[in-house]
């Protein structure tokens, strides 16, 4: 089921939004964010809504709604689904006018909610991509910009052509940035839990920050630092964090099988305990 709020009304199905001359259609000026409603629980919802405002500003747009107004719409929309529904919440801001530079005050807004069950904790496979993430001098890497996802889909196509589900992507200096679709964590042979430090080449994930905080409260320190690709070849666990799956283990990296380990399992348990309380 797809439910979209646009131009003051809720619509079912794949709601048309764009005109052929809209700036977003031919020049890529759109941003979105992804939050979750799981059986009515919406963890970090306001942080996601605030980020879509920030993302719009970074692309020269202006979100027409405030965080409070978007939150009210989200809650109104979620109430239209069954109480047990697991939903993806996607606010979208897109430019409608402007030749090359978008006219900020003519930005439009749509909110789409759709069924998206939390994936099972069975894991995914990944390889190292030959492609790279751009840095902030090349692309709006501090925004959740739709245009950045051409890079993501290239990485995923490469991975799938090799028989993998996902791929690790490096930055312009050859250091690990993240998975194609989510932030990366791993456990070293010495037992340290590590995630690549934010360096402007990938989005600072809201779920990433929440998992780091939850692990810290549980007595587990997460090192945020530069990570070389070869470190993943000796990791005892690799997992990702992101809005879609929250915490998901990598069960094969390149040709090496990996367990669904205790750190990933604990991180997921902590996250879903947090979710149930929010």
């Amino acid at each position: 089921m797809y439910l979209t709020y646009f131009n003051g009304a809720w619509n079912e199905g794949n709601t048309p939004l764009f005109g052929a001359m809209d700036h977003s259609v031919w020049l890529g000026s759109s941003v979105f964010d992804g939050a979750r409603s799981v059986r009515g629980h919406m963890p970090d919802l306001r942080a996601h809504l605030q980020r879509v405002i920030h993302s719009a500003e970074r692309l020269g747009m202006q979100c027409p709604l405030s965080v409070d107004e978007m939150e009210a719409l989200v809650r109104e929309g979620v109430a239209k689904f069954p109480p047990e529904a697991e939903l993806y919440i996607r606010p979208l801001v897109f430019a409608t006018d402007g030749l090359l530079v978008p006219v900020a005050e003519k930005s439009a807004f749509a909110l789409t909610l759709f069924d998206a069950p939390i994936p099972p904790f069975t894991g995914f496979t990944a390889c190292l991509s030959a492609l790279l993430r751009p840095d902030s001098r090349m692309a709006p890497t501090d925004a959740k910009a739709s245009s950045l996802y051409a890079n993501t889909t290239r990485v995923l196509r490469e991975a799938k052509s090799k028989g993998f589900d996902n791929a690790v992507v490096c930055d312009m200096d050859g250091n690990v940035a993240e998975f194609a679709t989510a932030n990366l964590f791993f456990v070293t042979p010495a037992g340290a839990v590590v995630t690549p430090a934010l360096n402007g080449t990938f989005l600072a994930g809201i779920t990433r920050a929440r998992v780091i905080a939850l692990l810290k409260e549980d007595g587990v320190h997460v090192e945020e630092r530069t990570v070389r690709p070869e470190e993943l070849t000796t990791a005892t666990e690799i997992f990702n964090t992101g809005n879609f799956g929250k915490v998901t283990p990598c069960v094969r990296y390149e040709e090496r099988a990996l367990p669904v380990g205790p750190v990933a399992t604990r991180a997921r348990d902590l996250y879903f305990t947090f979710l149930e309380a929010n």
Side-chain angles (χ1 to χ4, degrees):
M1 177 178 176
Y2 292 81
L3 190 64
T4 296
Y5 179 88
F6 181 57
N7 282 345
W10 289 100
N11 304 275
E12 289 192 19
N14 190 19
T15 305
L17 303 179
F18 306 116
M21 287 300 292
D22 280 6
H23 196 279
S24 56
V25 171
W26 68 313
L27 293 173
S29 53
S30 66
V31 298
F32 69 99
D33 217 287
R36 275 290 199 172
S37 175
V38 180
R39 299 180 298 279
H41 299 284
M42 290 172 262
D44 291 318
L45 173 62
R46 290 181 66 85
H48 286 282
L49 300 177
Q50 183 60 58
R51 189 169 66 181
V52 81
I53 292 175
H54 168 81
S55 293
E57 291 171 349
R58 298 305 297 157
L59 267 73
M61 297 183 290
Q62 179 180 312
C63 182
L65 278 70
S66 68
V67 170
D68 288 345
E69 290 168 329
M70 286 189 283
E71 182 180 6
L73 280 175
V74 168
R75 296 189 182 278
E76 180 182 317
V78 167
K80 298 178 182 293
F81 286 81
E84 68 279 7
E86 297 181 356
L87 306 175
Y88 193 97
I89 299 166
R90 194 200 67 194
L92 175 75
V93 180
F94 56 97
T96 64
D97 201 1
L99 181 57
L100 290 175
V101 178
V103 178
E105 59 271 23
K106 292 190 177 181
S107 303
F109 174 84
L111 172 67
T112 299
L113 311 178
F114 57 92
D115 289 304
I118 297 288
F121 195 57
T122 51
F124 64 96
T125 62
C127 59
L128 181 65
S129 176
L131 300 169
L132 301 175
R133 283 285 191 249
D135 70 24
S136 59
R137 296 167 295 178
M138 305 172 182
T141 54
D142 58 348
K144 199 168 176 66
S146 304
S147 57
L148 292 174
Y149 281 76
N151 180 275
T152 295
T153 58
R154 288 179 71 209
V155 173
L156 288 176
R157 293 201 314 270
E158 176 199 27
K160 292 181 186 302
S161 72
K162 296 178 178 179
F164 295 91
D165 302 318
N166 211 317
V168 173
V169 193
C170 293
D171 62 22
M172 295 297 295
D173 295 321
N175 298 313
V176 173
E178 60 177 346
F179 285 109
T181 57
N183 294 134
L184 182 148
F185 289 72
F186 70 100
V187 181
T188 71
V193 184
V194 180
T195 191
L198 302 175
N199 64 1
T201 66
F202 61 96
L203 203 61
I206 291 169
T207 304
R208 172 188 182 276
R210 179 60 62 189
V211 166
I212 290 172
L214 290 170
L215 285 171
K216 181 179 179 180
E217 291 170 10
D218 199 49
V220 178
H221 172 67
V222 178
E223 296 179 13
E224 297 182 71
R225 61 168 174 81
T226 299
V227 175
R228 295 298 301 167
E230 52 267 25
E231 293 186 73
L232 300 180
T233 64
T234 59
T236 59
E237 290 184 52
I238 304 175
F239 60 97
N240 72 22
T241 62
N243 179 62
F244 191 81
K246 297 307 181 185
V247 180
T248 311
C250 177
V251 294
R252 181 164 67 95
Y253 180 65
E254 295 288 353
E255 299 308 317
R256 190 166 67 97
L258 289 162
V260 178
V263 177
T265 301
R266 184 59 178 160
R268 187 177 193 272
D269 290 346
L270 289 168
Y271 187 87
F272 279 94
T273 298
F274 165 79
L275 179 148
E276 293 290 342
N278 289 273

